[in-house]
């Protein structure tokens, strides 16, 4: 439940730090959410009602202290301004976003366990995040979990979903893993899929496909 402004004075976003300033300990923690962001900008380029952030603090009133943010590796919000007031956000302040929490949060598990399956799960659950995605390609056996897990909020509690790619009707996108060539390297990534389970190609892949069919531009 959102606490009333009468209980404490909620500061504006301009007075809040933009992140936790904690460095990541592996490359994919930045690469994977950025890959999803750049692909989403291509898929939803004409839409202005969404916001996807990487390593940005979310300030909310469902925890102990609204001045302490939770910082996912990536998150998606719908029915908000793509650029708030025409400007870039320094943080995502729920009470300045019509109390709209992210509809999806993403955590990429690193060498140092970060509470993805315990504390962060509980935080996102209280916040009301509909989909919580945990990507753990390197340490899933250590953590006794699957490499990719998608949790859906059902009656206030997260339930692990099955199937990959997993379709999220409220977002009108699916998510799953695939191996692709990007930046001259072959690597596993998370990608967006349509309802038929067909992966959205990157601009780089679309260009390669065009050249294969029709030759050089």
């Amino acid at each position: 439940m959102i606490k009333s402004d009468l209980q404490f004075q909620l500061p504006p976003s301009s007075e809040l730090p933009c992140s936790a300033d904690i460095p990541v300990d592996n490359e994919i923690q930045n690469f994977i959410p950025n890959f999803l962001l750049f692909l989403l900008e291509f898929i939803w380029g004409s839409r202005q009602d969404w916001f996807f952030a990487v390593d940005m603090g979310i300030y909310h009133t469902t925890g102990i202290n609204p001045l302490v943010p939770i910082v996912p590796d990536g998150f998606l919000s719908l029915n908000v301004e793509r650029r708030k007031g025409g400007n870039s956000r320094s943080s995502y302040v729920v009470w300045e976003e019509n109390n709209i929490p992210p509809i999806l949060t993403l955590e990429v598990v690193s060498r140092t366990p970060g509470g993805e399956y315990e504390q962060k799960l509980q935080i996102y659950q209280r916040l009301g995040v509909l989909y919580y995605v945990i990507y753990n390609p390197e340490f899933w056996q250590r953590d006794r979990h699957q490499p990719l897990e998608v949790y859906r909020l059902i009656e206030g509690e997260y339930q692990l979903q099955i199937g990959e790619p997993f379709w999220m009707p409220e977002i009108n996108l699916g998510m799953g893993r695939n191996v692709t060539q990007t930046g001259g390297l072959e690597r596993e990534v998370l990608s967006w899929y349509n309802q038929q389970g067909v992966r959205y190609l990157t601009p780089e892949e679309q260009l390669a496909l065009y050249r294969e069919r029709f030759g050089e531009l």
Side-chain angles (χ1 to χ4, degrees):
M1 178 180 296
I2 302 298
K3 299 177 182 178
S4 169
D5 288 8
L6 297 177
Q7 293 178 261
F8 45 73
Q9 185 62 43
L10 295 173
S13 56
S14 59
E15 297 178 6
L16 297 168
C18 62
S19 73
D21 294 324
I22 300 173
V24 298
D25 67 13
N26 64 49
E27 176 190 1
I28 65 171
Q29 276 187 282
N30 275 329
F31 178 79
I32 292 297
N34 273 297
F35 182 86
L36 289 169
L37 169 58
F38 295 146
L39 186 55
L40 198 58
E41 287 181 337
F42 184 69
I43 300 168
W44 284 352
S46 62
R47 289 180 53 174
Q48 301 299 321
D49 62 345
W50 61 276
F51 177 66
F52 191 103
V54 177
D55 194 31
M56 177 180 285
I58 300 172
Y59 288 90
H60 58 100
T61 58
T62 61
I64 297 174
N65 188 340
L67 304 184
V68 178
I70 179 69
V71 187
D73 291 314
F75 69 87
L76 171 66
S77 289
L78 297 182
N79 301 315
V80 299
E81 293 178 281
R82 191 167 173 185
R83 289 176 60 84
K84 192 166 180 62
N87 298 310
S88 297
R89 293 170 173 84
S90 58
S91 57
Y92 188 86
V93 182
V94 174
W95 57 84
E96 292 185 352
E97 305 285 350
N98 294 320
N99 292 319
I100 298 175
I103 195 169
L104 179 148
T105 54
L106 167 68
E107 293 288 353
V108 180
V109 179
S110 63
R111 186 178 299 106
T112 304
E116 290 84 3
Y117 300 99
E118 298 88 18
Q119 295 96 330
K120 289 182 178 179
L121 184 147
Q122 294 295 323
I123 291 171
Y124 297 137
Q125 186 171 271
R126 290 196 306 270
L127 181 54
V129 175
L130 184 59
Y131 292 103
Y132 175 35
V133 179
I134 304 176
Y135 183 49
N136 190 355
E138 297 181 359
F139 308 105
W140 60 276
Q141 291 177 313
R142 175 200 69 186
D143 297 333
R144 299 182 180 180
H145 281 268
Q146 295 302 309
L148 176 63
E149 294 185 349
V150 178
Y151 294 85
R152 191 181 192 280
L153 194 64
I154 300 175
E155 296 182 353
E157 293 188 357
Y158 277 133
Q159 294 186 19
L160 181 63
Q161 305 298 293
I162 59 172
E164 188 182 342
F166 181 76
W167 176 247
M168 298 172 285
E170 298 84 357
I171 302 175
N172 200 33
L173 288 172
M175 182 179 286
R177 295 169 293 169
N178 74 284
V179 176
T180 188
Q181 288 275 350
T182 176
L185 298 174
E186 184 176 84
R187 62 176 101 195
E188 181 180 278
V189 296
L190 294 182
S191 285
W192 302 110
Y193 290 74
N194 67 18
Q195 191 169 3
Q196 289 70 45
V198 177
R199 180 172 63 88
Y200 286 100
L201 301 181
T202 65
E204 185 179 14
E205 289 173 320
Q206 292 203 18
L207 178 59
L209 184 62
Y210 182 92
R211 286 174 171 169
E212 180 181 322
R213 292 178 177 176
F214 305 106
E216 294 294 328
L217 296 176

Short mmCIF file of all heavy atoms in Angstrom, two decimals, residues 2 58-61 92-102 127:
data_model
loop_
_atom_site.label_atom_id
_atom_site.label_comp_id
_atom_site.label_asym_id
_atom_site.label_seq_id
_atom_site.Cartn_x
_atom_site.Cartn_y
_atom_site.Cartn_z
N ILE A 2 0.51 2.26 -0.82
CA ILE A 2 1.26 3.50 -0.86
C ILE A 2 0.95 4.32 0.38
O ILE A 2 -0.20 4.59 0.70
CB ILE A 2 0.91 4.30 -2.12
CG1 ILE A 2 1.20 3.46 -3.37
CG2 ILE A 2 1.67 5.61 -2.17
CD1 ILE A 2 2.62 3.08 -3.52
N ILE A 58 15.09 2.68 -8.28
CA ILE A 58 13.64 2.82 -8.17
C ILE A 58 13.32 3.23 -6.74
O ILE A 58 13.60 2.49 -5.79
CB ILE A 58 12.92 1.50 -8.49
CG1 ILE A 58 13.24 1.02 -9.91
CG2 ILE A 58 11.41 1.65 -8.31
CD1 ILE A 58 12.72 -0.37 -10.21
N TYR A 59 12.74 4.40 -6.58
CA TYR A 59 12.33 4.87 -5.26
C TYR A 59 10.84 4.59 -5.08
O TYR A 59 10.03 4.92 -5.95
CB TYR A 59 12.62 6.36 -5.10
CG TYR A 59 14.09 6.67 -4.98
CD1 TYR A 59 14.86 6.92 -6.11
CD2 TYR A 59 14.72 6.69 -3.74
CE1 TYR A 59 16.22 7.20 -6.01
CE2 TYR A 59 16.07 6.97 -3.62
CZ TYR A 59 16.82 7.22 -4.76
OH TYR A 59 18.16 7.49 -4.65
N HIS A 60 10.50 4.00 -3.95
CA HIS A 60 9.11 3.58 -3.75
C HIS A 60 8.78 3.68 -2.26
O HIS A 60 9.68 3.87 -1.42
CB HIS A 60 8.93 2.14 -4.23
CG HIS A 60 9.84 1.16 -3.55
ND1 HIS A 60 9.43 0.35 -2.51
CD2 HIS A 60 11.16 0.87 -3.74
CE1 HIS A 60 10.45 -0.40 -2.10
NE2 HIS A 60 11.51 -0.10 -2.83
N THR A 61 7.51 3.53 -1.94
CA THR A 61 7.07 3.68 -0.56
C THR A 61 6.58 2.36 0.04
O THR A 61 5.86 2.35 1.03
CB THR A 61 5.94 4.72 -0.47
OG1 THR A 61 4.85 4.31 -1.31
CG2 THR A 61 6.43 6.09 -0.90
N TYR A 92 13.94 6.51 -11.11
CA TYR A 92 12.51 6.24 -11.31
C TYR A 92 11.84 6.37 -9.95
O TYR A 92 12.03 5.53 -9.07
CB TYR A 92 12.30 4.85 -11.90
CG TYR A 92 10.87 4.58 -12.31
CD1 TYR A 92 10.42 4.96 -13.58
CD2 TYR A 92 9.97 3.96 -11.45
CE1 TYR A 92 9.11 4.72 -13.98
CE2 TYR A 92 8.65 3.71 -11.84
CZ TYR A 92 8.24 4.09 -13.11
OH TYR A 92 6.94 3.84 -13.49
N VAL A 93 11.07 7.43 -9.79
CA VAL A 93 10.43 7.75 -8.52
C VAL A 93 8.95 7.42 -8.64
O VAL A 93 8.20 8.13 -9.32
CB VAL A 93 10.65 9.23 -8.15
CG1 VAL A 93 10.04 9.54 -6.79
CG2 VAL A 93 12.15 9.55 -8.14
N VAL A 94 8.52 6.35 -8.01
CA VAL A 94 7.17 5.84 -8.22
C VAL A 94 6.11 6.88 -7.92
O VAL A 94 5.12 7.00 -8.64
CB VAL A 94 6.95 4.55 -7.39
CG1 VAL A 94 5.50 4.09 -7.48
CG2 VAL A 94 7.88 3.44 -7.87
N TRP A 95 6.32 7.69 -6.85
CA TRP A 95 5.29 8.67 -6.50
C TRP A 95 5.25 9.84 -7.48
O TRP A 95 4.34 10.66 -7.42
CB TRP A 95 5.45 9.17 -5.07
CG TRP A 95 6.78 9.78 -4.71
CD1 TRP A 95 7.15 11.07 -4.91
CD2 TRP A 95 7.89 9.13 -4.08
NE1 TRP A 95 8.43 11.28 -4.45
CE2 TRP A 95 8.90 10.11 -3.92
CE3 TRP A 95 8.12 7.84 -3.62
CZ2 TRP A 95 10.14 9.81 -3.33
CZ3 TRP A 95 9.34 7.55 -3.04
CH2 TRP A 95 10.33 8.53 -2.90
N GLU A 96 6.21 9.93 -8.40
CA GLU A 96 6.16 10.92 -9.47
C GLU A 96 5.71 10.30 -10.79
O GLU A 96 5.71 10.98 -11.83
CB GLU A 96 7.51 11.60 -9.64
CG GLU A 96 7.90 12.48 -8.46
CD GLU A 96 9.19 13.24 -8.71
OE1 GLU A 96 9.86 12.97 -9.73
OE2 GLU A 96 9.52 14.12 -7.89
N GLU A 97 5.38 9.01 -10.78
CA GLU A 97 4.97 8.28 -11.98
C GLU A 97 3.53 7.77 -11.83
O GLU A 97 3.20 6.68 -12.28
CB GLU A 97 5.92 7.10 -12.25
CG GLU A 97 7.38 7.47 -12.35
CD GLU A 97 7.75 8.14 -13.67
OE1 GLU A 97 6.89 8.16 -14.58
OE2 GLU A 97 8.89 8.62 -13.79
N ASN A 98 2.69 8.57 -11.17
CA ASN A 98 1.30 8.17 -10.91
C ASN A 98 1.22 6.86 -10.16
O ASN A 98 0.27 6.08 -10.34
CB ASN A 98 0.51 8.08 -12.22
CG ASN A 98 0.34 9.43 -12.89
OD1 ASN A 98 0.09 10.43 -12.23
ND2 ASN A 98 0.48 9.46 -14.20
N ASN A 99 2.23 6.61 -9.31
CA ASN A 99 2.30 5.39 -8.50
C ASN A 99 2.27 4.12 -9.36
O ASN A 99 1.74 3.09 -8.95
CB ASN A 99 1.19 5.35 -7.46
CG ASN A 99 1.39 6.41 -6.38
OD1 ASN A 99 2.51 6.64 -5.93
ND2 ASN A 99 0.32 7.07 -5.98
N ILE A 100 2.87 4.21 -10.56
CA ILE A 100 2.96 3.05 -11.45
C ILE A 100 4.31 2.37 -11.23
O ILE A 100 5.36 2.94 -11.56
CB ILE A 100 2.83 3.47 -12.93
CG1 ILE A 100 1.46 4.10 -13.18
CG2 ILE A 100 3.05 2.28 -13.85
CD1 ILE A 100 1.28 4.65 -14.57
N PRO A 101 4.33 1.16 -10.66
CA PRO A 101 5.59 0.44 -10.51
C PRO A 101 6.01 -0.18 -11.84
O PRO A 101 5.19 -0.29 -12.76
CB PRO A 101 5.25 -0.64 -9.48
CG PRO A 101 3.81 -0.95 -9.77
CD PRO A 101 3.18 0.37 -10.16
N PRO A 102 7.25 -0.59 -11.98
CA PRO A 102 7.64 -1.34 -13.18
C PRO A 102 6.77 -2.58 -13.34
O PRO A 102 6.35 -3.19 -12.36
CB PRO A 102 9.10 -1.72 -12.91
CG PRO A 102 9.58 -0.68 -11.94
CD PRO A 102 8.40 -0.38 -11.07
N LEU A 127 6.46 -4.38 -4.01
CA LEU A 127 6.31 -3.23 -4.90
C LEU A 127 5.20 -3.44 -5.92
O LEU A 127 4.64 -2.48 -6.45
CB LEU A 127 7.65 -2.95 -5.60
CG LEU A 127 7.76 -1.78 -6.56
CD1 LEU A 127 7.31 -0.48 -5.91
CD2 LEU A 127 9.18 -1.66 -7.08
#
